[in-house]
Amino acid sequence: MAQRLLQFVSTGKAMPQKRGAAERRHDFKEIYAEFDAGRAKEQAARCSQCGVPYCQIHCPLGNNIPDWLMLTAEGRLEEAYEVAAATNNMPEVCGRICPQDRLCEGNCVIEKGFQSVTIGSVEKYITETAFAEGWVKPPKPPRELAQSIGIVGAGPAGLAAAEQLRRKGYQVHVYDRYDRVGGLLVYGIPNFKLDKQVVARRHELLTQGGIHFHLNVEIGREVSLAELRRRHDAILIATGVYKAREMACPGIGLGNVVAAMEYLTASNRKGLGDAVPAFDSGALDAAGKHVVVVGGGDTAMDCVRTAVRQGALSVRCLYRRDRKNMPGSQREVFHAEEEGVEFVWLAAPEALIGDGTVKQVRAHRMHLGVADGSGRQTPQKLPDSHFDLEADLVIMALGFDAEDLPALFGAPDLALTRWGTLKIEQRTMMTSLDGVFAAGDIVRGASLVVWAIRDGRDAAEQMHRYVAAKAAAAPRAVAAE
Ligand SMILES: Cc1cc2nc3c(=O)[nH]c(=O)nc-3n(C[C@H](O)[C@H](O)[C@H](O)COP(=O)(O)OP(=O)(O)OC[C@H]3O[C@@H](n4cnc5c(N)ncnc54)[C@H](O)[C@@H]3O)c2cc1C
Ligand code: SF4
């Protein structure tokens, strides 16, 4: 039976069942169960169908959230899926790992006083139902086009662009230096947030749709960018950002001081059943160790929660600002605290102390001073405030910068911004090289999956225009649609 909408006045917000911290501390399984049909309808029916839907306005994809909530409340799930998939190439991923508390749910009109609609969980429910019912189909172009597209990077930006371009009929080739498709969805984000099978399922669909994946191929090493430009009518660079930010701090070179991505990749590979000697040797395994993670973003949250699951003796997170001013999702902090992580706010490392390997982190207290140009208060050291933390594994999660792509690709004309990311013409999304486009983290800097998908979709549209215009100008070219 269809549920009447605007139920927020009488029905409270409810999340799907969450596994208890004592249980989930010991495995890498996702922490939330799924809604059942009744609960999904009930929760979707809380929506007030706002005339100005702030949830949609604050979604980078402009997802038509009120409509798919209404369709879910009415039990019209196949249509709800169609609406959700119309603007999003991976709703099953966004439903799980978007920071909804900062985006749609955080801006939901009923949040004040009644708590938001559980948009992400309903999105996950709709999409998982669609997969189970066979409603999710591989991209099927109405006709094949002769032109081919090369995409460097099989993360969310590259995959979203690949699907959009394949739907138009292009011959799409995706190159990635990893052995699996998904980018950070596979090797960065842990299983307890996003099960790897969810990404593998998408990969399978895209392959069935005729997209060609060339894995273990590093552009700039195995194949040059120049060669790629000869092979394809247009290129998309969606390589993400992987250069770990470093900290100048005495003792940084000690053993057991590791970079976050190195640590998370080892853990994810282990979970996937790969041979990981650095994990097996104990170097990248937190079991039986006192762990200190430095940083306050999503990556730091994933490190602390991974260390808990590996059986660390203690896990502390050191962050130089306070809870309110951290970049990571508040929801993740809450989960981490439940799982036993201790947050040391307003503190920064001064030195790492040890004899060959690290034994202690010497830290000092900080306070938040006046705001800088961006409006963020600048953390300042409090004099004579140092203290020591026991540590036999220190994980540095200070963020990422772009690799030097012009050097890596042997393309000195590839223009960069002052942050080292790729410079694009905002309207066309083309880089300084003709026919070479860029999207995702390599343009924005470290960001979010939902923005990578948005950029991938926008870039696909621009690439289509470019190739079609070229085909129209060339006398014997096969016309694009
Ligand atoms: C630990 C961690 C946790 C995160 N958690 C969240 C979260 O909870 N929610 C969220 O929304 N976002 C999260 N993010 C951010 C999100 O993962 C990224 O914003 C998103 O993946 C960027 O997508 P992308 O396609 O631009 O790049 P990526 O996902 O990084 O993919 C880039 C791909 O390009 C490939 N590549 C790079 N160079 C080459 C080359 N030369 N040749 C061939 N292939 C190459 C890489 O192997 C990779 O597969 C997290 C990030 C990290 C690091
Ligand atoms: S803002 Fe909240 S109540 Fe309003 S349409 Fe969106 S989900 Fe529904």
Side-chain angles (χ1 to χ4, degrees):
M1 206 182 75
Q3 270 271 11
R4 284 174 51 218
L5 286 142
L6 285 107
Q7 295 299 311
F8 66 93
V9 277
S10 53
T11 307
K13 174 181 177 171
M15 290 292 287
Q17 201 177 359
K18 182 167 147 185
R19 293 194 298 128
E23 179 195 328
R24 61 180 205 254
R25 277 173 61 94
H26 300 292
D27 64 50
F28 282 81
K29 293 185 200 143
E30 287 187 5
I31 72 168
Y32 282 108
E34 243 169 74
F35 278 144
D36 59 28
R39 197 32 89 84
K41 262 189 186 181
E42 171 202 270
Q43 288 296 308
R46 294 182 68 240
C47 173
S48 80
Q49 296 288 294
C50 304
V52 181
Y54 275 49
C55 54
Q56 180 170 10
I57 291 166
H58 286 271
C59 171
L61 287 163
N63 282 341
N64 192 344
I65 295 165
D67 277 11
W68 49 254
L69 287 173
M70 181 192 69
L71 291 164
T72 305
E74 291 176 354
R76 294 158 63 189
L77 285 179
E78 188 167 1
E79 292 160 85
Y81 170 71
E82 290 300 331
V83 174
T87 50
N88 189 350
N89 302 75
M90 288 179 226
E92 72 281 18
V93 173
C94 289
R96 285 172 165 87
I97 63 165
C98 263
Q100 287 104 1
D101 53 344
R102 282 190 267 148
L103 300 171
C104 53
E105 292 182 16
N107 290 283
C108 173
V109 170
I110 64 169
E111 169 68 15
K112 280 201 178 76
F114 294 94
Q115 294 193 294
S116 70
V117 179
T118 46
I119 298 167
S121 304
V122 175
E123 184 180 34
K124 180 181 165 195
Y125 169 74
I126 295 169
T127 322
E128 287 308 316
T129 306
F131 272 104
E133 296 289 334
W135 302 331
V136 188
K137 300 275 189 271
K140 202 160 179 267
R143 64 188 168 126
E144 295 290 340
L145 298 174
Q147 293 99 328
S148 81
I149 305 286
I151 295 179
V152 190
L159 294 182
E163 180 173 2
Q164 294 303 100
L165 287 159
R166 182 66 194 134
R167 284 189 186 283
K168 291 183 190 295
Y170 291 105
Q171 309 309 308
V172 179
H173 293 257
V174 182
Y175 302 82
D176 203 293
R177 62 185 175 191
Y178 278 146
D179 52 350
R180 289 185 178 88
V181 161
L184 289 173
L185 302 182
V186 169
Y187 289 122
I189 298 172
N191 248 35
F192 52 82
K193 275 167 58 183
L194 175 65
D195 192 290
K196 303 297 163 237
Q197 280 312 311
V198 172
V199 187
R201 185 174 62 183
R202 224 357 115 177
H203 173 197
E204 179 60 30
L205 266 178
L206 296 178
T207 306
Q208 285 170 13
I211 294 171
H212 304 279
F213 288 97
H214 307 268
L215 300 179
N216 295 308
V217 178
E218 181 166 352
I219 303 307
R221 192 190 299 260
E222 276 91 7
V223 183
S224 68
L225 182 65
E227 166 59 22
L228 223 55
R229 292 177 78 191
R230 277 192 292 274
R231 280 186 201 172
H232 302 291
D233 294 275
I235 302 289
L236 178 70
I237 302 178
T239 48
V241 288
Y242 284 86
K243 196 168 87 185
R245 283 196 195 132
E246 289 172 359
M247 175 178 253
C249 169
I252 201 80
L254 286 170
N256 290 358
V257 179
V258 302
M261 261 312 278
E262 196 187 349
Y263 173 70
L264 290 173
T265 304
S267 175
N268 279 317
R269 280 200 179 280
K270 196 69 198 167
L272 284 158
D274 294 354
V276 189
F279 182 90
D280 297 337
S281 73
L284 294 176
D285 183 0
K289 293 181 179 150
H290 294 285
V291 178
V292 173
V293 176
V294 183
D298 282 330
T299 306
M301 295 309 102
D302 289 352
C303 289
V304 290
R305 297 180 69 203
T306 296
V308 166
R309 283 159 175 78
Q310 288 176 347
L313 290 178
S314 70
V315 184
R316 291 193 182 90
C317 182
L318 210 62
Y319 182 55
R320 62 194 180 134
R321 291 188 162 92
D322 59 6
R323 185 184 197 123
K324 208 169 75 204
N325 288 289
M326 68 179 292
S329 157
Q330 291 297 323
R331 205 166 49 185
E332 295 298 309
V333 181
F334 182 67
H335 294 327
E337 281 180 330
E338 279 187 335
E339 290 163 8
V341 175
E342 185 191 331
F343 284 85
V344 188
W345 305 112
L346 290 165
E350 186 170 297
L352 306 180
I353 300 164
D355 181 11
T357 57
V358 68
K359 291 281 171 261
Q360 278 182 330
V361 176
R362 174 151 300 169
H364 51 246
R365 302 277 171 202
M366 311 286 288
H367 77 106
L368 294 179
V370 289
D372 62 15
S374 70
R376 261 186 120 192
Q377 282 179 282
T378 315
Q380 285 165 353
K381 180 179 169 179
L382 279 177
D384 303 324
S385 64
H386 80 255
F387 59 99
D388 293 334
L389 295 173
E390 193 176 355
D392 24 34
L393 177 63
V394 175
I395 303 168
M396 304 304 274
L398 302 167
F400 303 95
D401 288 317
E403 292 161 282
D404 184 354
L405 284 195
L408 221 77
F409 286 177
D413 294 341
L414 193 56
L416 300 180
T417 65
R418 66 192 162 104
W419 299 281
T421 49
L422 286 186
K423 195 175 201 167
I424 56 169
E425 211 269 289
Q426 288 304 324
R427 194 177 49 81
T428 62
M429 298 185 77
M430 205 192 296
T431 65
S432 52
L433 302 180
D434 183 51
V436 179
F437 298 75
D441 279 4
I442 191 58
V443 175
R444 289 182 180 273
S447 179
L448 292 174
V449 169
V450 66
W451 278 114
I453 295 172
R454 167 69 196 264
D455 289 350
R457 292 172 69 90
D458 287 351
E461 205 47 49
Q462 295 303 328
M463 292 168 83
H464 168 56
R465 284 189 193 180
Y466 170 86
V467 176
K470 243 173 74 168
R476 289 195 303 117
V478 179
E481 62 169 8

